[in-house]
């Protein structure tokens, strides 16, 4: 998938089959035709192995540690990581969520140096680590949404609830609407509704009534649409995806051993980025997963053939 296709997908474009498949990938697609016996053997072998949760466990540990650091810094007044995930100071250095900061700039039409410095620092950090890495490795709402998703999947299996898909372009619409609202009325409504900020502040300063809104979002995800806030609404996620397109860290797909059964797509929060794992879709024998990927590692853990792995690109590989 070209950079521009990946970029368009962030804003809501549907993945599509590429017209330019490399000759090596074409040969591999051809060789896989009629390989059903081999596929079943690989899947049987995998089913006998124990399920791994290596990346998920590492991720949860990092996420809990970061959020705990905010809380402990406040409780013990050690000024290590002060504030919350929307705006904070780490060892005295300002950090500010880029989209939230952007809304404040639009609303107030002033440019506080600390806010701009904080936004730049966060831009550099997540630009390097892969923007949506924030979602899976730091965001407390992501963790709650993963647990809600596990419950939702059980209810779907029992046919007690049905899954509904929405259009991913809605996230772009919300991004624009919140920005327009800030620019035209001076209201930063998103900062009030943002479950990330609500949860982060609740963890540091104690619970507030705003948690009812977070509970409503989670209930909506369970009853109606899987992972809806992160997939279809969150403008922070969209901003981080756009920022992280050139990150050296990402998940790489290798076509050779893939059996195309789709376990990766079934666990992924943003399955459109794994469209290339559908039989016949990969453009090349090795491809980087697009910037909407949260680097959660669930697909890496679940892939029966090791076809998805974390990879760090070196400078000259760009
Ligand atoms: S990359 Fe996806 S479709 Fe391919 S083998 Fe791994 S889990 Fe299955
Ligand atoms: S592609 Fe893999 S690492 Fe990226 S979001 Fe999906 S499951 Fe997570």
């Amino acid at each position: 998938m070209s950079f521009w296709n990946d970029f368009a997908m962030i804003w809501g474009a549907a993945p599509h089959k590429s017209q330019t498949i490399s000759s090596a990938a074409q040969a591999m697609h051809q060789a896989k035709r009629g390989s059903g016996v081999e596929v079943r053997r690989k899947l049987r072998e995998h089913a006998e192995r124990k399920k791994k949760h290596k990346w998920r466990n590492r991720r949860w540990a990092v996420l809990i540690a970061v959020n705990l650091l905010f809380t402990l810094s406040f409780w013990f007044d050690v000024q290590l990581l002060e504030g919350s995930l929307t705006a904070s100071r780490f060892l005295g250095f300002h950090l500010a969520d880029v989209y939230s900061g952007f809304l404040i700039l639009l609303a107030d039409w002033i440019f506080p140096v600390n806010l701009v410095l904080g936004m730049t620092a966060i831009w550099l950090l997540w630009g390097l680590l892969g923007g949506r890495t924030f979602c899976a490795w730091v965001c407390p709402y992501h963790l709650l949404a993963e647990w809600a998703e596990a419950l939702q999947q059980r209810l779907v299996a029992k046919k007690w609830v049905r899954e509904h898909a929405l259009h991913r372009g809605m996230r772009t619409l919300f991004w624009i609407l919140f920005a327009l609202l800030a620019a035209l009325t001076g209201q930063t409504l998103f900062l009030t509704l943002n479950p990330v900020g609500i949860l982060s502040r609740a963890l540091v300063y104690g619970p507030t009534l705003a948690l009812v809104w977070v509970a409503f979002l989670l209930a909506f995800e369970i009853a109606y649409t899987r992972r809806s806030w992160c997939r279809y609404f969150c403008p922070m996620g969209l901003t981080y995806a756009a920022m992280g397109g050139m990150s050296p860290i990402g998940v790489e797909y290798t076509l050779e051993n893939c059996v195309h059964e789709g376990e990766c797509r079934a666990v992924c929060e943003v399955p459109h980025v794994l469209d290339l794992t559908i039989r016949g879709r990969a453009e090349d024998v090795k491809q980087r997963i697009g910037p909407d990927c949260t680097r959660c590692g669930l697909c890496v853990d679940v892939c029966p053939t090791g076809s998805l792995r974390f990879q760090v690109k070196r400078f000259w590989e760009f």
Side-chain angles (χ1 to χ4, degrees):
M1 241 109 345
S2 76
F3 174 82
W4 292 113
N5 281 342
D6 281 342
F7 196 69
M9 272 207 283
I10 300 173
W11 301 91
H16 62 269
K17 192 169 177 183
S18 172
Q19 302 303 315
T20 51
I21 298 179
S22 74
S23 51
Q26 277 182 26
M28 226 170 252
H29 290 311
Q30 189 68 31
K32 286 184 184 206
R33 295 220 168 110
S35 59
V37 175
E38 176 62 5
V39 167
R40 282 194 289 279
R41 184 188 65 73
K42 282 184 181 170
L43 291 176
R44 232 186 357 263
E45 268 178 25
H46 177 67
E48 283 157 14
R49 271 185 251 135
K50 234 175 131 217
K51 267 200 188 293
K52 297 184 294 174
H53 293 295
K54 182 173 107 177
W55 285 104
R56 188 203 67 181
N57 293 347
R58 287 178 181 179
R59 190 163 53 75
W60 285 6
V62 171
L63 191 151
I64 291 167
V66 171
N67 285 280
L68 209 56
L69 205 56
F70 276 107
T71 310
L72 296 179
S73 296
F74 179 71
W75 282 1
F76 296 106
D77 195 17
V78 288
Q79 297 170 355
L80 186 62
L81 189 55
E82 304 163 90
S84 68
L85 283 171
T86 317
S88 58
R89 282 201 313 175
F90 178 61
L91 296 172
F93 290 100
H94 289 273
L95 302 170
D97 169 59
V98 174
Y99 185 68
S100 308
F102 171 61
L103 292 184
I104 292 169
L105 296 181
L106 281 181
D108 295 344
W109 286 106
I110 49 169
F111 293 82
V113 176
N114 288 340
L115 178 62
V116 176
L117 283 178
M119 288 166 67
T120 310
I122 285 292
W123 190 302
L124 292 175
L125 175 71
W126 295 116
L128 193 67
L129 296 178
R132 291 208 68 191
T133 309
F134 167 86
C135 302
W137 291 74
V138 174
C139 175
Y141 185 80
H142 190 282
L143 183 60
L144 295 187
E146 278 187 89
W147 294 340
E149 182 182 26
L151 173 61
Q152 188 256 4
Q153 290 294 288
R154 280 193 195 164
L155 298 180
V156 168
K158 287 181 193 286
K159 297 196 168 40
W160 289 0
V161 299
R162 279 199 310 136
E163 280 192 37
H164 301 84
L166 304 176
H167 196 291
R168 285 185 303 102
M170 281 188 9
R171 196 172 57 158
T172 305
L173 194 64
F174 273 84
W175 196 100
I176 296 169
L177 283 178
F178 284 124
L180 277 178
L181 191 70
L184 299 178
T185 70
Q187 298 298 317
T188 50
L189 178 65
F190 173 68
L191 300 192
T192 312
L193 297 179
N194 178 13
V196 186
I198 294 173
L199 282 170
S200 184
R201 286 189 294 276
L203 286 169
V204 180
Y205 308 116
T208 63
L209 210 55
L211 288 176
V212 175
W213 167 243
V214 179
F216 168 79
L217 289 177
L218 291 168
F220 183 74
E221 301 201 357
I222 294 167
Y224 194 76
T225 307
R226 182 180 179 184
R227 300 305 297 272
S228 48
W229 179 262
C230 304
R231 272 185 188 174
Y232 305 114
F233 299 111
C234 182
M236 273 173 74
L238 174 55
T239 312
Y240 282 124
M243 278 160 44
M246 299 300 285
S247 163
I249 301 171
V251 174
E252 188 177 74
Y253 171 64
T254 306
L255 172 62
E256 187 174 4
N257 286 323
C258 175
V259 289
H260 308 288
E261 86 304 342
E263 285 196 46
C264 51
R265 297 188 298 279
V267 296
C268 182
E269 174 194 322
V270 280
H272 55 280
V273 300
L274 288 169
D275 199 69
L276 77 179
T277 64
I278 296 172
R279 187 180 292 273
R281 291 281 175 94
E283 273 178 21
D284 216 335
V285 290
K286 282 189 188 292
Q287 270 183 261
R288 176 60 75 96
I289 303 300
D292 223 359
C293 166
T294 66
R295 281 83 168 163
C296 72
L298 291 180
C299 61
V300 179
D301 278 345
V302 85
C303 176
T305 58
S307 301
L308 291 156
R309 289 179 190 277
F310 277 107
Q311 184 240 18
V312 182
K313 270 191 192 172
R314 279 156 292 213
F315 181 65
W316 56 88
E317 289 172 324
F318 278 94

